[in-house]
Coordinates of all heavy atoms in Angstrom, one line a residue:
M38 N 123.4 63.7 66.7 CA 123.2 64.2 68.1 C 123.6 65.7 68.1 O 124.6 66.1 67.6 CB 124.1 63.5 69.1 CG 123.4 62.9 70.2 SD 124.4 61.7 71.1 CE 124.6 62.6 72.5
T39 N 122.7 66.5 68.8 CA 123.0 67.9 68.9 C 123.3 68.3 70.3 O 123.0 67.5 71.2 CB 121.8 68.7 68.4 OG1 120.7 68.4 69.3 CG2 121.4 68.4 67.0
D40 N 123.9 69.4 70.5 CA 124.3 69.9 71.8 C 123.3 70.9 72.3 O 123.6 71.9 72.9 CB 125.7 70.5 71.8 CG 126.8 69.5 71.5 OD1 126.5 68.3 71.9 OD2 127.8 69.9 71.0
E41 N 122.0 70.6 72.2 CA 121.0 71.5 72.7 C 120.8 71.2 74.2 O 120.6 70.1 74.6 CB 119.7 71.3 71.9 CG 119.7 71.7 70.5 CD 118.4 71.5 69.8 OE1 117.3 71.6 70.5 OE2 118.4 71.3 68.6
S42 N 120.8 72.3 74.9 CA 120.5 72.2 76.3 C 119.0 72.2 76.5 O 118.3 72.9 75.8 CB 121.2 73.3 77.2 OG 120.7 74.5 76.7
P43 N 118.5 71.5 77.5 CA 117.0 71.5 77.8 C 116.5 72.9 78.2 O 117.3 73.6 78.8 CB 116.8 70.5 78.9 CG 118.1 70.3 79.5 CD 119.2 70.7 78.5
A44 N 115.3 73.2 77.8 CA 114.7 74.5 78.2 C 114.5 74.5 79.7 O 114.2 73.4 80.3 CB 113.4 74.6 77.5
P45 N 114.7 75.7 80.3 CA 114.5 75.7 81.8 C 113.0 75.3 82.1 O 112.1 75.7 81.4 CB 114.7 77.2 82.1 CG 114.8 77.9 80.9 CD 115.0 76.9 79.8
A46 N 112.9 74.6 83.2 CA 111.6 74.1 83.6 C 110.8 75.2 84.2 O 111.3 76.1 84.9 CB 111.7 73.0 84.6
K47 N 109.5 75.3 83.9 CA 108.6 76.3 84.5 C 108.2 75.8 85.9 O 108.1 74.6 86.1 CB 107.4 76.5 83.6 CG 107.7 77.1 82.3 CD 106.4 77.4 81.5 CE 106.7 78.0 80.2 NZ 105.5 78.3 79.4
P48 N 108.0 76.7 86.8 CA 107.5 76.3 88.1 C 106.2 75.5 88.0 O 105.3 75.8 87.2 CB 107.3 77.6 88.9 CG 107.9 78.7 88.1 CD 108.1 78.2 86.7
A49 N 106.1 74.5 88.8 CA 104.9 73.6 88.7 C 103.7 74.3 89.1 O 102.6 74.0 88.6 CB 105.1 72.3 89.5
Q50 N 103.8 75.2 90.1 CA 102.6 75.9 90.6 C 102.9 77.4 90.8 O 103.0 77.9 91.9 CB 102.2 75.3 92.0 CG 101.9 73.8 91.9 CD 101.6 73.3 93.3 OE1 101.4 74.0 94.3 NE2 101.6 72.0 93.4
P51 N 103.0 78.1 89.7 CA 103.4 79.5 89.7 C 102.4 80.4 90.5 O 102.8 81.5 91.0 CB 103.5 79.9 88.3 CG 102.6 79.0 87.6 CD 102.6 77.7 88.3
R52 N 101.1 80.1 90.6 CA 100.2 80.9 91.3 C 99.8 80.5 92.7 O 98.9 81.0 93.3 CB 98.9 81.1 90.4 CG 99.2 81.7 89.1 CD 97.9 81.9 88.3 NE 97.7 83.2 87.6 CZ 97.4 84.3 88.2 NH1 97.3 84.4 89.5 NH2 97.3 85.4 87.5
N53 N 100.4 79.4 93.2 CA 100.2 78.9 94.5 C 101.1 79.6 95.5 O 102.3 79.3 95.5 CB 100.4 77.4 94.5 CG 100.0 76.8 95.8 OD1 99.7 77.5 96.8 ND2 100.1 75.5 95.9
P54 N 100.5 80.4 96.4 CA 101.4 81.1 97.4 C 102.0 80.2 98.4 O 103.0 80.6 99.1 CB 100.5 82.2 98.0 CG 99.1 81.7 97.7 CD 99.2 80.8 96.5
L55 N 101.5 79.0 98.5 CA 102.1 78.1 99.5 C 103.2 77.2 98.9 O 103.9 76.6 99.7 CB 101.0 77.1 100.0 CG 99.8 77.8 100.8 CD1 98.8 76.8 101.2 CD2 100.3 78.5 102.0
H56 N 103.3 77.2 97.6 CA 104.3 76.4 96.9 C 105.7 76.8 97.4 O 106.1 78.0 97.3 CB 104.2 76.5 95.4 CG 105.1 75.6 94.7 ND1 105.0 74.3 94.7 CD2 106.2 75.9 94.0 CE1 106.0 73.8 94.0 NE2 106.8 74.7 93.5
G57 N 106.5 75.8 97.8 CA 107.8 76.1 98.3 C 108.0 76.5 99.7 O 109.1 76.6 100.2
L58 N 106.9 76.7 100.4 CA 106.9 77.1 101.8 C 106.9 75.8 102.7 O 106.1 74.9 102.4 CB 105.7 78.0 102.2 CG 105.8 79.4 101.9 CD1 104.6 80.1 102.3 CD2 107.0 80.1 102.6
T59 N 107.6 75.8 103.7 CA 107.5 74.7 104.7 C 106.5 75.0 105.7 O 106.1 76.2 105.9 CB 108.9 74.5 105.4 OG1 109.1 75.7 106.2 CG2 110.0 74.3 104.5
L60 N 105.9 74.0 106.3 CA 104.9 74.1 107.3 C 105.5 74.9 108.5 O 104.8 75.8 109.1 CB 104.4 72.8 107.8 CG 103.3 72.7 108.8 CD1 102.1 73.5 108.2 CD2 102.9 71.3 109.1
E61 N 106.8 74.7 108.8 CA 107.4 75.5 109.8 C 107.4 77.0 109.6 O 107.2 77.8 110.4 CB 108.9 75.0 110.0 CG 109.6 75.7 111.1 CD 111.0 75.2 111.4 OE1 111.5 74.4 110.6 OE2 111.6 75.6 112.4
A62 N 107.7 77.4 108.3 CA 107.7 78.8 108.0 C 106.3 79.4 108.1 O 106.1 80.5 108.6 CB 108.2 79.0 106.5
I63 N 105.3 78.6 107.8 CA 103.9 79.1 107.9 C 103.5 79.3 109.3 O 103.0 80.3 109.7 CB 102.9 78.1 107.2 CG1 103.2 78.1 105.7 CG2 101.5 78.4 107.5 CD1 102.4 77.0 104.9
V64 N 103.8 78.3 110.2 CA 103.5 78.4 111.6 C 104.2 79.5 112.3 O 103.7 80.3 113.0 CB 103.7 77.1 112.3 CG1 103.6 77.2 113.8 CG2 102.8 76.0 111.8
T65 N 105.5 79.7 111.9 CA 106.3 80.8 112.5 C 105.8 82.1 112.1 O 105.6 83.0 112.9 CB 107.8 80.6 112.1 OG1 108.2 79.3 112.5 CG2 108.6 81.7 112.7
A66 N 105.4 82.3 110.8 CA 104.9 83.6 110.3 C 103.5 83.9 111.0 O 103.3 85.0 111.4 CB 104.7 83.5 108.8
L67 N 102.7 82.9 111.2 CA 101.4 83.1 111.9 C 101.6 83.5 113.3 O 101.0 84.4 113.9 CB 100.5 81.9 111.8 CG 99.9 81.6 110.4 CD1 99.3 80.2 110.4 CD2 98.9 82.7 110.0
A68 N 102.5 82.8 114.0 CA 102.8 83.1 115.4 C 103.4 84.5 115.6 O 103.0 85.2 116.5 CB 103.7 82.0 116.0
D69 N 104.2 84.9 114.7 CA 104.8 86.2 114.7 C 103.8 87.3 114.4 O 103.8 88.4 115.1 CB 105.9 86.4 113.7 CG 107.2 85.6 114.1 OD1 107.3 85.1 115.2 OD2 108.0 85.4 113.2
Y70 N 102.9 87.1 113.5 CA 101.9 88.1 113.1 C 100.7 88.2 114.1 O 100.4 89.3 114.5 CB 101.3 87.7 111.7 CG 100.4 88.7 111.2 CD1 100.9 89.9 110.6 CD2 99.0 88.6 111.2 CE1 100.1 90.9 110.1 CE2 98.2 89.5 110.6 CZ 98.7 90.7 110.1 OH 97.9 91.6 109.5
Y71 N 100.2 87.0 114.6 CA 99.0 87.1 115.5 C 99.4 86.9 116.9 O 98.7 87.3 117.8 CB 98.0 85.9 115.1 CG 97.3 86.2 113.8 CD1 97.6 85.4 112.7 CD2 96.4 87.1 113.6 CE1 97.0 85.6 111.5 CE2 95.7 87.3 112.4 CZ 96.0 86.5 111.3 OH 95.4 86.7 110.2
G72 N 100.5 86.2 117.2 CA 100.8 85.8 118.6 C 100.1 84.5 118.9 O 99.1 84.2 118.3
W73 N 100.7 83.7 119.8 CA 100.1 82.4 120.1 C 98.7 82.5 120.7 O 97.8 81.7 120.3 CB 101.0 81.6 121.1 CG 102.3 81.2 120.5 CD1 103.5 81.6 120.8 CD2 102.4 80.2 119.5 NE1 104.4 81.0 120.0 CE2 103.8 80.1 119.2 CE3 101.5 79.3 118.8 CZ2 104.3 79.1 118.3 CZ3 102.0 78.4 117.9 CH2 103.4 78.3 117.6
E74 N 98.4 83.5 121.5 CA 97.1 83.6 122.1 C 96.0 83.8 121.1 O 95.0 83.1 121.0 CB 97.0 84.7 123.2 CG 95.7 84.7 123.9 CD 95.7 85.7 125.1 OE1 96.8 86.0 125.6 OE2 94.6 86.2 125.4
Q75 N 96.2 84.8 120.2 CA 95.2 85.0 119.1 C 95.2 83.9 118.1 O 94.1 83.5 117.6 CB 95.5 86.3 118.4 CG 94.4 86.7 117.5 CD 94.6 88.1 116.8 OE1 95.6 88.7 117.0 NE2 93.7 88.5 116.0
L76 N 96.3 83.3 117.9 CA 96.3 82.1 116.9 C 95.5 81.0 117.5 O 94.8 80.3 116.8 CB 97.8 81.7 116.7 CG 98.1 80.6 115.7 CD1 97.5 81.0 114.3 CD2 99.5 80.4 115.5
G77 N 95.6 80.8 118.8 CA 94.8 79.7 119.5 C 93.3 80.0 119.4 O 92.5 79.1 119.4
Q78 N 92.9 81.3 119.4 CA 91.5 81.7 119.2 C 91.0 81.5 117.8 O 89.9 81.1 117.6 CB 91.3 83.1 119.7 CG 91.5 83.4 121.2 CD 91.5 84.8 121.6 OE1 91.4 85.7 120.7 NE2 91.6 85.1 122.8
L79 N 91.9 81.8 116.9 CA 91.5 81.7 115.4 C 91.4 80.3 115.0 O 90.6 79.9 114.2 CB 92.5 82.5 114.6 CG 92.4 84.0 114.8 CD1 93.6 84.7 114.1 CD2 91.1 84.6 114.3
V80 N 92.4 79.4 115.5 CA 92.4 78.0 115.2 C 92.5 77.3 116.5 O 93.6 77.1 117.0 CB 93.6 77.6 114.3 CG1 93.5 76.1 113.9 CG2 93.6 78.5 113.0
P81 N 91.3 77.0 117.1 CA 91.3 76.4 118.5 C 91.8 75.0 118.5 O 91.0 74.0 118.6 CB 89.9 76.6 118.9 CG 89.1 76.6 117.6 CD 90.0 77.1 116.6
I82 N 93.1 74.8 118.5 CA 93.7 73.4 118.7 C 94.7 73.5 119.8 O 95.3 74.6 120.1 CB 94.3 72.9 117.4 CG1 95.3 73.9 116.8 CG2 93.3 72.5 116.4 CD1 96.0 73.4 115.6
R83 N 94.8 72.5 120.6 CA 95.6 72.4 121.8 C 97.0 72.9 121.6 O 97.6 73.5 122.5 CB 95.5 71.0 122.4 CG 96.1 70.9 123.8 CD 95.9 69.5 124.3 NE 96.7 69.3 125.5 CZ 96.4 69.6 126.7 NH1 95.3 70.2 127.0 NH2 97.2 69.3 127.7
C84 N 97.6 72.5 120.5 CA 99.0 72.9 120.3 C 99.2 74.4 120.2 O 100.4 74.9 120.3 CB 99.6 72.1 119.1 SG 98.9 72.6 117.5
F85 N 98.2 75.2 120.0 CA 98.3 76.6 119.9 C 97.8 77.2 121.3 O 98.1 78.4 121.5 CB 97.4 77.2 118.8 CG 97.9 76.9 117.4 CD1 97.0 77.0 116.4 CD2 99.2 76.5 117.2 CE1 97.4 76.8 115.1 CE2 99.6 76.3 115.9 CZ 98.7 76.4 114.8
T86 N 97.1 76.5 122.1 CA 96.5 77.1 123.3 C 97.2 76.7 124.6 O 97.2 77.4 125.5 CB 95.0 76.8 123.4 OG1 94.9 75.4 123.4 CG2 94.2 77.4 122.3
F87 N 97.8 75.5 124.6 CA 98.4 75.0 125.8 C 99.9 74.7 125.6 O 100.3 73.9 124.8 CB 97.7 73.6 126.3 CG 98.3 73.1 127.5 CD1 98.0 73.6 128.7 CD2 99.1 72.0 127.5 CE1 98.5 73.1 129.9 CE2 99.7 71.5 128.6 CZ 99.3 72.0 129.9
E88 N 100.7 75.5 126.2 CA 102.2 75.5 126.1 C 102.6 75.4 124.6 O 103.2 74.5 124.1 CB 102.8 74.3 126.8 CG 102.6 74.4 128.3 CD 103.3 73.2 129.1 OE1 104.1 72.5 128.4 OE2 103.0 73.1 130.2
P89 N 102.2 76.5 123.8 CA 102.4 76.5 122.4 C 103.9 76.6 122.0 O 104.7 77.3 122.7 CB 101.7 77.7 121.9 CG 101.6 78.6 123.1 CD 101.6 77.7 124.3
S90 N 104.3 75.9 121.0 CA 105.6 75.9 120.4 C 105.5 75.5 119.0 O 104.6 74.8 118.5 CB 106.6 75.1 121.2 OG 106.3 73.7 120.9
V91 N 106.5 75.9 118.2 CA 106.5 75.6 116.8 C 106.7 74.0 116.6 O 106.0 73.4 115.9 CB 107.7 76.3 116.0 CG1 107.8 75.8 114.6 CG2 107.4 77.8 116.0
S92 N 107.5 73.4 117.4 CA 107.8 72.0 117.3 C 106.5 71.2 117.6 O 106.2 70.2 116.9 CB 109.0 71.5 118.1 OG 108.7 71.7 119.5
S93 N 105.8 71.5 118.7 CA 104.6 70.7 119.0 C 103.5 71.0 118.0 O 102.8 70.0 117.6 CB 104.1 71.1 120.4 OG 103.6 72.4 120.4
S94 N 103.5 72.2 117.4 CA 102.5 72.5 116.4 C 102.8 71.6 115.1 O 101.9 71.1 114.5 CB 102.5 73.9 116.1 OG 102.2 74.7 117.2
L95 N 104.1 71.6 114.8 CA 104.4 70.8 113.6 C 104.1 69.3 113.7 O 103.6 68.7 112.8 CB 105.9 71.0 113.3 CG 106.4 72.4 112.9 CD1 107.9 72.4 112.7 CD2 105.7 72.8 111.6
K96 N 104.4 68.8 114.9 CA 104.0 67.4 115.1 C 102.6 67.1 114.9 O 102.2 66.1 114.2 CB 104.4 66.9 116.5 CG 105.9 66.8 116.7 CD 106.3 66.5 118.1 CE 107.8 66.6 118.4 NZ 108.1 66.4 119.8
F97 N 101.7 68.0 115.5 CA 100.3 67.8 115.4 C 99.8 68.0 114.0 O 99.0 67.2 113.4 CB 99.5 68.7 116.3 CG 98.1 68.6 116.3 CD1 97.4 67.5 116.8 CD2 97.3 69.6 115.6 CE1 96.0 67.4 116.8 CE2 95.9 69.5 115.6 CZ 95.3 68.4 116.1
L98 N 100.2 69.1 113.3 CA 99.7 69.5 112.0 C 100.1 68.5 110.9 O 99.4 68.3 110.0 CB 100.2 70.9 111.7 CG 99.6 72.0 112.5 CD1 100.3 73.3 112.2 CD2 98.1 72.1 112.3
R99 N 101.3 67.9 111.1 CA 101.7 66.9 110.1 C 100.8 65.6 110.1 O 100.7 64.9 109.1 CB 103.2 66.5 110.3 CG 104.1 67.6 109.9 CD 105.5 67.2 110.0 NE 106.4 68.3 109.6 CZ 107.4 68.8 110.2 NH1 107.8 68.3 111.4 NH2 108.1 69.8 109.7
K100 N 100.2 65.3 111.3 CA 99.4 64.1 111.4 C 97.9 64.4 111.2 O 97.1 63.5 111.1 CB 99.6 63.6 112.9 CG 100.9 63.0 113.2 CD 100.9 62.3 114.5 CE 101.9 63.0 115.4 NZ 101.8 62.4 116.8
T101 N 97.5 65.7 111.2 CA 96.1 66.0 111.2 C 95.8 66.9 110.0 O 95.9 68.2 110.1 CB 95.8 66.8 112.5 OG1 96.4 66.1 113.6 CG2 94.3 66.8 112.8
P102 N 95.3 66.3 108.9 CA 95.1 67.1 107.7 C 94.1 68.3 107.8 O 94.3 69.3 107.3 CB 94.6 66.1 106.7 CG 95.0 64.8 107.2 CD 95.1 64.9 108.7
W103 N 93.0 68.0 108.6 CA 92.0 69.1 108.7 C 92.6 70.3 109.4 O 92.2 71.5 109.1 CB 90.7 68.6 109.5 CG 90.9 68.2 110.9 CD1 91.2 66.9 111.3 CD2 91.0 69.0 112.0 NE1 91.3 66.9 112.7 CE2 91.2 68.2 113.2 CE3 90.8 70.4 112.2 CZ2 91.3 68.7 114.5 CZ3 90.9 70.9 113.5 CH2 91.1 70.1 114.6
A104 N 93.4 70.1 110.4 CA 94.0 71.2 111.2 C 95.0 72.0 110.3 O 95.1 73.2 110.3 CB 94.7 70.7 112.4
R105 N 95.8 71.2 109.5 CA 96.7 71.8 108.6 C 96.0 72.7 107.5 O 96.5 73.8 107.2 CB 97.6 70.7 107.9 CG 98.6 71.3 107.0 CD 99.4 70.2 106.3 NE 100.5 70.8 105.5 CZ 101.7 70.3 105.4 NH1 102.0 69.2 106.0 NH2 102.5 70.9 104.6
E106 N 94.9 72.2 107.0 CA 94.1 73.0 106.1 C 93.7 74.3 106.7 O 93.7 75.4 106.0 CB 92.9 72.2 105.6 CG 93.3 71.1 104.6 CD 92.0 70.3 104.2 OE1 90.9 70.8 104.3 OE2 92.2 69.1 103.8
K107 N 93.2 74.3 108.0 CA 92.8 75.5 108.6 C 94.0 76.5 108.8 O 93.8 77.7 108.6 CB 92.2 75.2 110.0 CG 90.8 74.6 109.9 CD 90.3 74.4 111.3 CE 88.9 73.9 111.3 NZ 87.9 74.8 111.7
V108 N 95.1 75.9 109.1 CA 96.3 76.8 109.3 C 96.7 77.4 108.0 O 97.1 78.6 107.9 CB 97.5 76.0 110.0 CG1 98.8 76.7 109.9 CG2 97.1 75.7 111.4
E109 N 96.7 76.6 106.9 CA 97.1 77.1 105.6 C 96.1 78.2 105.1 O 96.5 79.2 104.6 CB 97.2 76.0 104.6 CG 98.4 75.1 104.8 CD 98.4 73.8 103.9 OE1 97.4 73.5 103.3 OE2 99.5 73.2 103.9
S110 N 94.8 78.0 105.4 CA 93.8 79.0 105.0 C 94.0 80.3 105.8 O 93.9 81.4 105.2 CB 92.4 78.4 105.3 OG 92.1 77.4 104.5
L111 N 94.4 80.2 107.1 CA 94.6 81.3 107.9 C 95.9 82.1 107.4 O 95.9 83.3 107.3 CB 94.8 81.0 109.4 CG 95.1 82.1 110.3 CD1 93.9 83.1 110.3 CD2 95.3 81.6 111.7
Y112 N 96.9 81.3 106.9 CA 98.1 81.9 106.4 C 97.8 82.7 105.1 O 98.2 83.9 105.0 CB 99.1 80.8 106.1 CG 100.4 81.4 105.5 CD1 101.3 82.0 106.3 CD2 100.7 81.3 104.2 CE1 102.5 82.6 105.8 CE2 101.8 81.8 103.6 CZ 102.7 82.4 104.5 OH 103.9 83.0 103.9
L113 N 96.9 82.2 104.2 CA 96.5 82.9 103.0 C 95.7 84.1 103.4 O 95.9 85.2 102.8 CB 95.7 82.0 102.1 CG 96.5 80.8 101.5 CD1 95.5 79.9 100.8 CD2 97.6 81.2 100.7
F114 N 94.9 84.1 104.4 CA 94.1 85.2 104.8 C 95.1 86.3 105.4 O 94.9 87.5 105.1 CB 93.1 84.8 105.9 CG 92.3 86.0 106.5 CD1 91.3 86.5 105.8 CD2 92.7 86.5 107.7 CE1 90.6 87.6 106.3 CE2 92.0 87.6 108.3 CZ 90.9 88.1 107.6
M115 N 96.1 85.9 106.1 CA 97.1 86.8 106.7 C 97.8 87.5 105.5 O 98.0 88.7 105.6 CB 98.1 86.1 107.6 CG 99.2 86.9 108.1 SD 100.6 86.0 108.8 CE 101.4 85.5 107.3
L116 N 98.2 86.8 104.5 CA 98.8 87.4 103.3 C 98.0 88.5 102.7 O 98.4 89.6 102.3 CB 99.2 86.4 102.3 CG 100.3 85.4 102.7 CD1 100.5 84.4 101.5 CD2 101.6 86.1 103.0
R117 N 96.7 88.2 102.6 CA 95.7 89.2 102.0 C 95.6 90.4 102.9 O 95.6 91.5 102.4 CB 94.3 88.5 101.8 CG 94.3 87.6 100.6 CD 92.9 87.2 100.3 NE 92.2 86.5 101.3 CZ 92.2 85.2 101.6 NH1 92.9 84.4 100.8 NH2 91.4 84.7 102.6
E118 N 95.6 90.2 104.2 CA 95.5 91.3 105.2 C 96.8 92.2 105.0 O 96.7 93.4 105.0 CB 95.4 90.8 106.6 CG 94.1 90.6 107.1 CD 94.1 90.3 108.6 OE1 95.1 89.9 109.2 OE2 93.0 90.4 109.2
Q119 N 97.9 91.6 104.9 CA 99.2 92.3 104.8 C 99.2 93.1 103.5 O 99.6 94.3 103.5 CB 100.4 91.3 104.9 CG 100.6 90.8 106.3 CD 101.7 89.8 106.3 OE1 102.1 89.1 105.3 NE2 102.3 89.6 107.4
R120 N 98.7 92.5 102.4 CA 98.7 93.3 101.2 C 97.7 94.5 101.3 O 98.0 95.6 100.8 CB 98.2 92.4 100.0 CG 99.4 91.6 99.4 CD 98.9 90.9 98.1 NE 99.4 89.6 98.2 CZ 98.7 88.5 98.2 NH1 97.4 88.5 98.2 NH2 99.3 87.3 98.3
R121 N 96.6 94.3 101.9 CA 95.6 95.4 102.1 C 96.2 96.5 102.9 O 96.1 97.7 102.6 CB 94.4 94.9 102.8 CG 93.2 94.9 101.9 CD 91.9 94.5 102.6 NE 91.6 93.1 102.2 CZ 91.4 92.1 103.0 NH1 91.5 92.2 104.3 NH2 91.2 90.9 102.5
E122 N 96.9 96.1 104.0 CA 97.6 97.1 104.8 C 98.6 97.9 104.0 O 98.7 99.1 104.2 CB 98.2 96.5 106.0 CG 97.2 95.9 107.0 CD 97.9 95.1 108.1 OE1 99.1 94.9 108.1 OE2 97.1 94.6 109.0
Q123 N 99.4 97.2 103.2 CA 100.4 97.9 102.4 C 99.8 98.8 101.4 O 100.3 100.0 101.2 CB 101.3 96.9 101.7 CG 102.3 96.1 102.6 CD 103.0 95.0 101.8 OE1 102.7 94.7 100.7 NE2 104.0 94.5 102.4
Q124 N 98.7 98.4 100.8 CA 98.0 99.3 99.8 C 97.5 100.5 100.5 O 97.5 101.6 99.9 CB 96.9 98.5 99.1 CG 97.5 97.5 98.1 CD 96.4 96.6 97.5 OE1 95.2 96.7 98.0 NE2 96.7 95.8 96.5
Q125 N 96.9 100.4 101.7 CA 96.4 101.5 102.4 C 97.5 102.5 102.8 O 97.2 103.7 102.8 CB 95.6 101.1 103.6 CG 94.3 100.4 103.3 CD 93.6 99.8 104.5 OE1 94.2 99.8 105.6 NE2 92.4 99.4 104.3
Q126 N 98.6 102.0 103.1 CA 99.7 102.9 103.5 C 100.3 103.6 102.2 O 100.8 104.7 102.4 CB 100.9 102.1 104.1 CG 100.5 101.6 105.5 CD 101.6 100.7 106.1 OE1 102.6 100.4 105.4 NE2 101.4 100.2 107.3
Q127 N 100.2 103.0 101.1 CA 100.7 103.7 99.9 C 99.8 104.7 99.2 O 100.2 105.5 98.5 CB 101.0 102.6 98.8 CG 102.2 101.7 99.3 CD 102.5 100.6 98.3 OE1 101.7 100.4 97.3 NE2 103.5 99.8 98.5
Q128 N 98.5 104.6 99.6 CA 97.5 105.5 99.0 C 97.7 106.9 99.7 O 97.8 107.0 100.9 CB 96.1 105.0 99.2 CG 95.8 103.8 98.4 CD 94.4 103.3 98.6 OE1 93.7 103.8 99.5 NE2 93.9 102.3 97.9
P129 N 97.6 108.0 98.9 CA 97.7 109.3 99.5 C 96.4 109.6 100.3 O 95.4 109.1 100.0 CB 97.8 110.3 98.3 CG 97.2 109.5 97.1 CD 97.5 108.0 97.4
P130 N 96.6 110.4 101.3 CA 95.4 110.7 102.2 C 94.3 111.4 101.4 O 94.6 112.3 100.5 CB 95.9 111.6 103.3 CG 97.3 112.0 102.9 CD 97.7 111.1 101.8
Q131 N 93.1 111.1 101.6 CA 91.9 111.7 100.9 C 91.6 113.0 101.6 O 91.7 113.2 102.8 CB 90.7 110.8 100.9 CG 91.0 109.5 100.1 CD 89.8 108.6 100.1 OE1 88.8 108.9 100.6 NE2 89.9 107.5 99.4
R132 N 91.2 114.0 100.8 CA 90.8 115.3 101.3 C 89.3 115.5 101.5 O 88.5 115.0 100.9 CB 91.3 116.4 100.4 CG 92.8 116.5 100.4 CD 93.3 117.6 99.5 NE 94.7 117.5 99.4 CZ 95.4 118.4 98.9 NH1 94.8 119.5 98.3 NH2 96.7 118.4 98.8

């Protein structure tokens, strides 16, 4: 018997930006970035348009796979938008 320790495990999904995020974190980030009104326009579901809250949204999204997919897709789009904005701010002004 040897005293070798096991190699550290690699992350199961290293390229998945949703890996490790909770649905609550996703909904909160979207609501902060877009606001509830715009979020309700982008993903027209009642939990975003009528008395919106994170808790009511979580209840609905956990039971409704198609709505959850739309919200996750919008979150990925938001991340791309934020990266684009950061890149534009870092580029020197053109003459």
Side-chain angles (χ1 to χ4, degrees):
M38 234 165 109
T39 61
D40 290 334
E41 291 181 30
S42 59
K47 292 183 180 180
Q50 301 177 12
R52 296 182 136 287
N53 182 354
L55 297 176
H56 184 69
L58 279 178
T59 63
L60 186 56
E61 182 177 8
I63 292 170
V64 171
T65 302
L67 288 171
D69 290 345
Y70 187 76
Y71 291 110
W73 288 110
E74 186 174 334
Q75 188 176 3
L76 188 55
Q78 292 171 357
L79 294 169
V80 183
I82 52 178
R83 186 175 168 87
C84 63
F85 291 162
T86 58
F87 182 74
E88 295 183 16
S90 71
V91 173
S92 63
S93 69
S94 300
L95 293 176
K96 287 176 190 173
F97 179 75
L98 294 171
R99 286 182 179 134
K100 293 187 241 174
T101 318
W103 64 265
R105 183 178 181 144
E106 287 177 24
K107 286 185 178 248
V108 168
E109 289 173 347
S110 293
L111 181 61
Y112 180 77
L113 294 174
F114 177 78
M115 179 195 75
L116 291 178
R117 287 191 301 270
E118 267 188 345
Q119 288 176 336
R120 274 191 226 113
R121 248 184 256 124
E122 290 170 1
Q123 287 175 349
Q124 288 174 351
Q125 288 175 352
Q126 291 174 356
Q127 292 175 356
Q128 292 178 352
Q131 296 179 1
R132 294 182 183 187

